[in-house]
Amino acid sequence: MLKIAFHPIYKHHLPNGHRFPMLKYELLPQQLLHEGSCSPNNFFEPSLPNDEHILAVHDESYYRDLINLDLDKSAARKIGFPLSGELIERERIIADGTIKGCEFALEHGVAMNIAGGTHHAYSNRAEAFCLLNDQAIGARYLQQHHLAKQILIVDLDVHQGNGTAEIFQDDPTVFTFSMHGKGNYPFKKETSDLDISLEKDTTDETYLSILKKTLPELLEKVQPDFIFYLCGVDVLASDKLGTLAMSLEGCKERDRYVLQTCFDAKIPVQCSMGGGYSPDIKIIVEAHANTFRLAQDIYA
């Protein structure tokens, strides 16, 4: 059974006019339930994780400053959200959703997190709506509990996974692959194990051709026993923070290909949603919902 992490705290209150579409975290599970793609049994509610799981990835001094709301003004400004205790609680619960999702993926082949994909969070600092790197935390959890040895992170958000690249920069047991817009944030990029930078207005055909050549080669090279998939929908042409030109159907085919590849290879995969900033919230929800629909179909 497909298990999906969701908690009401995912939809965090923001000031009026804030550019982050927090409403999608409420609308997406509602849509999946309304249309019958998912049932209440598919969802589980994460909680606060053990601090040791977070500290396996993040510097203790940074994490304590977060918990104590003691970041300096410059560091707090880089988050992009007003700093609050509820925000920190939210980030911790999102990380727990991914940790528990790893266990469900081992059992069922796949698991999803309605939120997550916080790949701009470094080991020692927050950036761009990302405070704790949920998939990095999940990767370390698997390794420390001897549930996986060799891990592949497939980051297909339109923005490079700079925090993830930094966290695992000297670790051969976690291979980081990021395919992103060349002209997108972050403008000073880190070095992943494999970075593919795409030109402005890259279309479905070009994007999918590159992906379908690259992913099988990575499975052969890395030989992962677990995959994390960051399936941001900010690759869409309509996205106000993206530079690519993909259609809804192209984004859906991207997800279908990645999930089918994991299924065929019998490699468990945990999926976190990542970015999506189209002006029309219905487009964001539909693009994300496609990922869940595909997982239900492929892993039925």
Side-chain angles (χ1 to χ4, degrees):
M1 172 183 284
L2 175 65
K3 301 299 287 185
I4 303 166
F6 173 71
H7 191 290
I9 204 172
Y10 283 9
K11 181 180 176 282
H12 180 67
H13 176 74
L14 292 173
N16 289 336
H18 196 285
R19 63 178 178 167
F20 191 90
M22 196 66 75
L23 183 60
K24 72 176 183 177
Y25 297 120
E26 180 178 72
L27 295 179
L28 179 55
Q30 289 178 359
Q31 176 62 31
L32 294 170
L33 290 168
H34 172 73
E35 69 188 28
S37 294
C38 297
S39 72
N41 289 337
N42 290 116
F43 292 88
F44 70 92
E45 190 169 288
S47 56
L48 290 174
N50 192 310
D51 282 351
E52 71 180 30
H53 304 325
I54 294 172
L55 292 172
V57 167
H58 292 285
D59 289 357
E60 184 169 4
S61 59
Y62 164 64
Y63 183 54
R64 295 305 170 201
D65 284 346
L66 276 183
I67 296 294
N68 296 323
L69 305 180
D70 201 26
L71 293 178
D72 65 48
K73 289 184 179 180
S74 175
R77 194 161 46 243
K78 289 180 180 179
I79 294 172
F81 296 140
L83 186 61
S84 69
E86 185 181 5
L87 178 67
I88 306 308
E89 182 180 3
R90 173 185 185 267
E91 298 301 305
R92 294 165 71 197
I93 288 174
I94 287 172
D96 188 63
T98 295
I99 290 170
K100 289 187 170 68
C102 290
E103 295 180 335
F104 283 122
L106 289 169
E107 183 179 355
H108 302 292
V110 65
M112 322 282 280
N113 197 337
I114 287 284
T118 44
H119 60 163
H120 299 311
Y122 281 66
S123 60
N124 62 354
R125 67 179 189 272
E127 274 192 16
F129 312 138
C130 302
L131 289 78
L132 300 172
N133 196 310
D134 68 299
Q135 292 191 320
I137 292 167
R140 280 286 180 255
Y141 174 86
L142 287 171
Q143 290 180 327
Q144 292 189 336
H145 288 77
H146 308 291
L147 300 172
K149 293 181 179 179
Q150 190 67 46
I151 290 168
L152 171 62
I153 296 179
V154 177
D155 187 337
L156 300 186
D157 194 272
V158 82
H159 306 98
Q160 191 216 29
N162 54 342
T164 309
E166 180 266 335
I167 288 167
F168 296 118
Q169 61 187 339
D170 297 316
D171 185 349
T173 68
V174 180
F175 190 101
T176 53
F177 164 46
S178 179
M179 188 159 85
H180 48 262
K182 183 178 181 179
N184 264 117
Y185 175 92
F187 302 110
K188 181 184 180 302
K189 294 177 172 59
E190 302 293 339
T191 303
S192 308
D193 292 304
L194 176 62
D195 285 301
I196 297 179
S197 297
L198 301 172
E199 297 295 333
K200 181 177 170 58
D201 295 328
T202 292
T203 60
D204 293 352
E205 182 179 7
T206 300
Y207 187 104
L208 293 169
S209 174
I210 294 170
L211 176 62
K212 291 179 180 182
K213 178 180 183 297
T214 304
L215 189 55
E217 293 176 350
L218 283 180
L219 295 192
E220 180 64 29
K221 174 182 178 179
V222 178
Q223 295 287 306
D225 47 17
F226 197 97
I227 291 175
F228 288 90
Y229 178 33
L230 204 173
C231 35
V233 301
D234 42 13
V235 295
L236 294 175
S238 58
D239 199 273
K240 59 188 178 183
L241 298 185
T243 59
L244 305 185
M246 293 190 73
S247 67
L248 262 174
E249 196 56 40
C251 187
K252 183 178 179 180
E253 172 59 19
R254 176 202 70 174
D255 290 344
R256 186 206 65 77
Y257 179 73
V258 173
L259 292 172
Q260 189 69 56
T261 299
C262 293
F263 178 83
D264 291 345
K266 296 181 173 56
I267 303 172
V269 57
Q270 186 279 329
C271 307
S272 291
M273 290 302 101
Y277 311 96
S278 294
D280 185 348
I281 190 72
K282 290 183 290 186
I283 297 295
I284 301 174
V285 172
E286 178 66 11
H288 280 313
N290 277 335
T291 316
F292 292 82
R293 295 167 186 147
L294 287 161
Q296 285 284 49
D297 289 344
I298 293 169
Y299 289 85

